[in-house]
């Protein structure tokens, strides 16, 4: 019997997310409404924009889903591209951008093969809020390579990842070392725990999510 490859697993993950979006079960989007997360992200965005005036430049939201963060970035003055592999999520992202009165370029694609999609290069700011920590080691290596190819020198990436853990259907998480191994062309310059949020589900609190900040060298 043939052993499942990382790409077979990616296909299964893609199907799972398509099904979840199809039935409207998207708990990760509900987390984006919690004050501890929104305030923490806003502060991180403020830090990235400090000393500059809009338009801030090109930004890339990796695994943008329904565009929650892509739209927020666009409203702040970034020129945003969002990439995701779930068509229904992208359709909702289009609606969200239209409702907010902002322009966001949305692309259906695979972050482990960005070169196969119509994605530009020289992005100054990149987001990964909960994608990397759900991938296999092989997929992480491919993602790191592809992301590095489209990022501008000196670009910043913000990543939100859970701590590693044995979980059945939830993301397996990623350590600082896992991130550094997949992004050798980047320097991990900061990491901090997500502020306590009593309204977050217990499984999220137990996962000890952290924000990581990387700089492309």
């Amino acid at each position: 019997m043939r052993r499942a490859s990382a790409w077979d697993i990616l296909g299964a993950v893609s199907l799972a997310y398509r099904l979840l979006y199809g039935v409207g079960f998207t708990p990760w989007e509900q987390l984006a409404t919690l004050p501890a997360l929104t305030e923490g992200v806003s502060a991180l965005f403020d830090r990235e924009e400090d000393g500059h005036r809009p338009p801030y430049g090109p930004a890339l939201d990796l695994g943008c889903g329904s565009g929650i963060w892509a739209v927020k970035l666009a409203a702040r003055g970034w020129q945003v591209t969002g990439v995701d592999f779930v068509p229904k999520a992208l359709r909702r992202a289009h609606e969200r951008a239209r409702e907010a009165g902002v322009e966001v370029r949305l692309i259906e694609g695979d972050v482990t093969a960005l070169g196969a999609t119509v994605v530009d290069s020289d992005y100054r700011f990149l987001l990964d809020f909960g994608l990397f920590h759900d991938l296999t080691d092989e997929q992480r290596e491919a993602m790191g390579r592809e992301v590095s190819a489209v990022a501008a020198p000196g670009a910043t990436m913000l990543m939100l990842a859970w701590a590693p853990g044995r979980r059945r259907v939830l993301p397996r998480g990623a350590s600082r070392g896992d991130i550094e191994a997949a992004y050798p062309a980047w320097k991990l310059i900061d990491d901090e725990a997500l502020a306590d949020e009593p309204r977050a589900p217990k499984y999220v609190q137990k996962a000890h999510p952290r924000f990581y900040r990387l700089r492309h060298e």
Side-chain angles (χ1 to χ4, degrees):
M1 181 180 297
R2 184 177 69 87
R3 184 179 180 181
S5 70
W7 313 114
D8 293 328
I9 297 171
L10 182 62
V13 170
S14 174
L15 177 60
Y17 276 103
R18 288 170 190 262
L19 291 173
L20 290 172
Y21 272 107
V23 299
F25 181 67
T26 56
W28 54 90
E29 295 192 345
Q30 297 170 13
L31 293 176
T33 66
L34 297 177
L37 181 60
T38 56
E39 291 170 10
V41 172
S42 180
L44 291 170
F45 289 171
D46 288 343
R47 182 167 60 182
E48 188 63 27
E49 297 162 0
D50 186 39
H52 302 278
R53 291 186 176 182
Y56 296 113
L60 179 61
D61 188 352
L62 300 154
C64 66
S66 66
I68 292 173
W69 301 113
V71 168
K72 289 183 182 296
L73 270 183
R76 295 174 69 107
W78 291 89
Q79 299 161 309
V80 185
T81 297
V83 178
D84 204 282
F85 55 41
V86 181
K88 184 171 183 178
L90 292 172
R91 289 195 293 273
R92 176 64 185 113
H94 277 290
E95 295 171 359
R96 194 185 298 278
R98 185 176 65 250
E99 291 166 359
V102 298
E103 183 176 347
V104 178
R105 183 187 183 200
L106 296 161
I107 298 174
E108 182 179 348
D110 176 359
V111 298
T112 67
L114 289 174
T117 65
V118 186
V119 177
D120 295 326
S121 59
D122 291 330
Y123 290 99
R124 289 191 51 239
F125 193 35
L126 302 94
L127 298 184
D128 174 358
F129 284 179
L131 176 58
F132 179 86
H133 73 175
D134 207 13
L135 301 180
T136 67
D137 292 343
E138 186 178 358
Q139 292 159 5
R140 291 173 177 181
E141 181 181 353
M143 179 180 180
R145 181 176 60 250
E146 294 290 304
V147 169
S148 297
V150 301
T156 300
M157 176 162 56
L158 292 180
M159 180 185 295
L160 179 63
W162 291 4
R166 298 183 64 181
R167 308 177 180 102
R168 291 186 178 181
V169 296
L170 298 172
R172 65 185 182 121
S175 68
R176 183 184 181 107
D178 293 331
I179 297 168
E180 291 175 325
Y183 286 95
W186 298 66
K187 181 178 181 181
L188 205 163
I189 56 178
D190 192 23
D191 75 273
E192 58 188 80
L194 177 65
D196 290 337
E197 175 50 79
R199 282 173 286 184
K202 291 296 184 184
Y203 65 84
V204 174
Q205 297 180 37
K206 291 180 179 179
H208 304 294
R210 299 187 70 84
F211 285 111
Y212 296 90
R213 187 164 173 250
L214 298 91
R215 180 66 45 78
H216 192 210
E217 299 183 316

